[in-house]
Amino acid sequence: MRENERKRHSFTPKMSDLQAPLRPKRKKGLVDFLVQFRWVFVIFFVLPFSALYYFLIYLGDVRSEMKSYKQRQKEHDENVKKVVKRLKQRNPKKDGLVCTARKPWIAVGMRNVDYKRARHYEVDLSAFRNILEIDRERMIARVEPLVNMGQITRVTVPMNLSLAVVAELDDLTVGGLINGYGIEGSSHIYGLFSDTVVAYEIVLADGRVVRATKDNEYSDLFYAIPWSQGTLGFLVAAEIKLIPVKEYMRLTYTPVVGNLQDLAQGYMDSFAPRDGDQDNPEKVPDFVEGMVYSPTEGVFMTGRYASKEEAKKKGNKINNVGWWFKPWFYQHAQTALKKGEFVEYIPTREYYHRHTRCLYWEGKLILPFGDQWWFRFLLGWLMPPKVSLLKATQGESIRNYYHEMHVIQDMLVPLYKVGDALEWVHHEMEIYPIWLCPHRLFKLPVKTMVYPEPGFEQQHRQGDTPYAQMFTDVGVYYAPGPVLRGEVFDGAEAVRKMEQWLIKNHSFQPQYAVSELNEKDFWRMFDADLYEHVRRKYGAVGTFMSVYYKSKKGRKTEKEVQEAEQAHLETAYAEAD
């Protein structure tokens, strides 16, 4: 066995073969100084206002929860009528394209919402933030699009229920996760967030209100909504799958040491049985997550729901990771590299939101000393700073700096290519830690914007099943190594290279991120057929901006918007090569 292991290592790339190119030193300017000391502004302005904002939102959520089901449903119906009325008042010849009235800086994603700088016709959806119903019998949660993850787990977890996929950050909303992209450690079972939705309530361009499911007359709309960025209609409610859960998560931390291909294999083995028995709950954990801390070290975590009685048995360790003074979760997990594999029990809701307090590891760049014990005890209760406030107060120069000197990207790659993706990131960006989270990409009756590799079911690769190909989110969030060393780094060029690698390897880039794709390459990465068909069938063309143009980087003038939309009225979308 050891001989075979030595042979396997001899055929894997050496780290010396993966060294990033040498880069010249970069001259620093005023913006570097402002970024370096931005923590002063964050501590004395952003954190206090964030805490106040969170408190007011919490009071609003409590007030909403105190209303009866009938009252919430009545308010919902009235608000939908307001949206319909507003849409019908629009004059297509005089008014701009339709979009929400939400301010650009409120969005959690890093992409600049520059399309709103052009003339547009606003529709206010700010009232749609109620949990309408928790149906225990059907195991469905019916919610409005501005309900966020913190709000819904606060209601469901005490009932021993949960959404099948709960995105980690509290602020992420149902609408954003459906129209864009959402993932969590349970996605290796349930797929992406949108895969857990059973029905959408949509207001179409002509003011019709329809309920789309996978097997009714609006099934084409049902399959086209995910990844469409709200360009097919206004989502006003969604029915989402619930699952039974227990009070605790029994989490096992397993360290792996080796080269990047070894780390990738250790990650695959943590949740994907080599015998292909991927649907066996005895072999597949409830939750999976991996963190690669360096080119040679990673920690992979697997979780299973556990009862309160089990967690409190003598000898078991309970870790309340949600307390403000606790070490940041990614740093706590890293301790497994020194002390070896260990197991602990984490309250379920605290586990769901384990990365909220430090925004994964972005908090280290925002507040360089935020992870220190003294800061956590004194001011940790103010964390995290609200992303929207950070964006609103950063200014144009700092925003451009982050786009050039910072990377916040997710690479959705087939599971068997994870090792290659890790090597690519190391060579081109040198960013650590790297987040790994698996998810199923289901084989659907129609070809949607994202889809499995053709013929994957015949390959019998680790993690795949006949009905779904296993993918992995390779989360790349931090300042690249060259930037930290003061070297020249072209962030836009690095993203362009990453996007071409993704296209070549049948992989995808979530649209919340800053993209350098032109229209041709956008539709090489994504499939346009269903989206184009639905967009024309339900009158979205000429009313809502196309998903490519909405995602496109850079400012949009009124003229550019009109010309681009007119092109879509006259011709088909750019075809993939």
Side-chain angles (χ1 to χ4, degrees), residues 202-247:
I202 304 289
V203 180
L204 299 176
D206 60 3
R208 281 184 294 159
V209 183
V210 302
R211 181 175 181 269
T213 69
K214 65 180 179 181
D215 50 14
N216 73 358
E217 60 183 306
Y218 300 105
S219 62
D220 52 357
L221 180 62
F222 175 86
Y223 286 116
I225 288 293
W227 295 79
S228 67
Q229 294 291 318
T231 60
L232 299 176
F234 285 126
L235 174 70
V236 291
E239 297 171 37
I240 310 173
K241 180 179 181 179
L242 289 170
I243 60 171
V245 299
K246 297 178 181 178
E247 295 86 354

Side-chain angles (χ1 to χ4, degrees), residues 143-209:
V143 301
E144 293 180 323
L146 291 183
V147 169
N148 63 36
M149 295 297 99
Q151 180 183 357
I152 198 163
T153 57
R154 191 164 51 245
V155 171
T156 58
V157 171
M159 302 166 67
N160 281 0
L161 296 174
S162 172
L163 298 183
V165 174
V166 181
E168 288 89 349
L169 302 184
D170 284 22
D171 271 0
L172 297 175
T173 63
V174 166
L177 296 169
I178 287 173
N179 282 298
Y181 153 80
I183 193 173
E184 167 58 301
S186 60
S187 290
H188 66 296
I189 298 172
Y190 301 105
L192 298 177
F193 188 89
S194 56
D195 293 314
T196 67
V197 179
V198 298
Y200 300 109
E201 185 180 345
I202 304 289
V203 180
L204 299 176
D206 60 3
R208 281 184 294 159
V209 183

Side-chain angles (χ1 to χ4, degrees), residues 6 16 33 41 97-98 149 168 221 250 265 267 319 389 488 491 500 512 532 540 564 576:
R6 281 195 295 270
S16 59
F33 177 82
F41 182 74
L97 295 173
V98 176
M149 295 297 99
E168 288 89 349
L221 180 62
R250 182 184 187 275
Q265 188 59 56
Y267 161 71
N319 184 6
L389 286 179
V488 171
Q500 293 305 312
Y512 82 86
E532 178 184 348

Side-chain angles (χ1 to χ4, degrees), residues 70 96 219 253 280 292 298 303 326 357 371 421 425 461 471 480 491 496 542 549 556:
K70 288 184 178 180
S219 62
Y253 302 78
N280 188 339
V292 178
K326 287 281 189 172
R357 193 156 44 94
D371 59 340
V425 172
R461 295 190 181 99
F471 271 60
R496 278 191 286 271
Y549 206 73
K556 289 88 175 173

Side-chain angles (χ1 to χ4, degrees), residues 53-210:
Y53 192 96
Y54 283 125
F55 180 67
L56 294 176
I57 291 295
Y58 170 75
L59 291 180
D61 294 343
V62 172
R63 182 168 171 267
S64 171
E65 292 162 19
M66 293 173 64
K67 298 175 184 176
S68 67
Y69 162 71
K70 288 184 178 180
Q71 187 177 358
R72 278 177 278 178
Q73 184 60 49
K74 181 181 177 182
E75 289 180 4
H76 174 77
D77 294 338
E78 290 173 352
N79 289 326
V80 170
K81 288 178 182 177
K82 290 178 184 178
V83 172
V84 172
K85 181 180 178 181
R86 174 70 174 161
L87 276 173
K88 290 185 174 181
Q89 289 174 340
R90 173 177 173 263
N91 185 336
K93 294 182 179 179
K94 295 182 180 180
D95 298 317
L97 295 173
V98 176
C99 69
T100 65
R102 188 171 67 160
K103 298 301 180 185
W105 53 270
I106 293 179
V108 176
M110 295 307 295
R111 174 173 52 84
N112 295 337
V113 191
D114 282 328
Y115 67 87
K116 288 193 177 182
R117 297 176 188 266
R119 183 168 63 96
H120 54 273
Y121 187 79
E122 292 185 344
V123 177
D124 187 7
L125 300 181
S126 60
F128 290 91
R129 53 172 300 107
N130 291 317
I131 298 172
L132 298 175
E133 183 181 14
I134 302 296
D135 189 333
R136 285 176 175 270
E137 195 170 313
R138 294 174 58 219
M139 290 297 282
I140 294 294
R142 184 165 176 262
V143 301
E144 293 180 323
L146 291 183
V147 169
N148 63 36
M149 295 297 99
Q151 180 183 357
I152 198 163
T153 57
R154 191 164 51 245
V155 171
T156 58
V157 171
M159 302 166 67
N160 281 0
L161 296 174
S162 172
L163 298 183
V165 174
V166 181
E168 288 89 349
L169 302 184
D170 284 22
D171 271 0
L172 297 175
T173 63
V174 166
L177 296 169
I178 287 173
N179 282 298
Y181 153 80
I183 193 173
E184 167 58 301
S186 60
S187 290
H188 66 296
I189 298 172
Y190 301 105
L192 298 177
F193 188 89
S194 56
D195 293 314
T196 67
V197 179
V198 298
Y200 300 109
E201 185 180 345
I202 304 289
V203 180
L204 299 176
D206 60 3
R208 281 184 294 159
V209 183
V210 302

Side-chain angles (χ1 to χ4, degrees), residues 209-374:
V209 183
V210 302
R211 181 175 181 269
T213 69
K214 65 180 179 181
D215 50 14
N216 73 358
E217 60 183 306
Y218 300 105
S219 62
D220 52 357
L221 180 62
F222 175 86
Y223 286 116
I225 288 293
W227 295 79
S228 67
Q229 294 291 318
T231 60
L232 299 176
F234 285 126
L235 174 70
V236 291
E239 297 171 37
I240 310 173
K241 180 179 181 179
L242 289 170
I243 60 171
V245 299
K246 297 178 181 178
E247 295 86 354
Y248 285 85
M249 185 68 66
R250 182 184 187 275
L251 198 63
T252 302
Y253 302 78
T254 303
V256 176
V257 177
N259 61 34
L260 289 172
Q261 292 289 347
D262 293 331
L263 300 185
Q265 188 59 56
Y267 161 71
M268 293 165 63
D269 290 341
S270 70
F271 70 94
R274 293 199 183 192
D275 61 7
D277 198 8
Q278 192 64 42
D279 289 322
N280 188 339
E282 298 297 321
K283 298 180 180 180
V284 179
D286 296 320
F287 269 76
V288 180
E289 177 180 32
M291 283 181 269
V292 178
Y293 292 96
S294 76
T296 58
E297 295 177 321
V299 175
F300 306 115
M301 288 145 282
T302 54
R304 292 185 179 274
Y305 289 110
S307 65
K308 182 167 42 177
E309 291 74 23
E310 177 186 340
K312 293 188 175 182
K313 284 182 180 178
K314 186 176 180 180
N316 289 341
K317 180 182 178 182
I318 293 177
N319 184 6
N320 293 91
V321 298
W323 285 97
W324 76 91
F325 53 83
K326 287 281 189 172
W328 289 355
F329 183 77
Y330 81 95
Q331 294 178 341
H332 170 66
Q334 192 174 7
T335 61
L337 291 168
K338 290 186 177 179
K339 62 183 182 181
E341 182 174 293
F342 66 95
V343 177
E344 63 184 13
Y345 291 80
I346 300 174
T348 296
R349 186 168 185 268
E350 293 184 28
Y351 176 75
Y352 284 160
H353 303 295
R354 62 200 177 279
H355 292 300
T356 292
R357 193 156 44 94
C358 56
L359 299 174
Y360 285 88
W361 27 91
E362 286 289 303
K364 185 68 174 174
L365 288 177
I366 299 168
L367 291 169
F369 44 79
D371 59 340
Q372 300 299 305
W373 66 268
W374 57 269

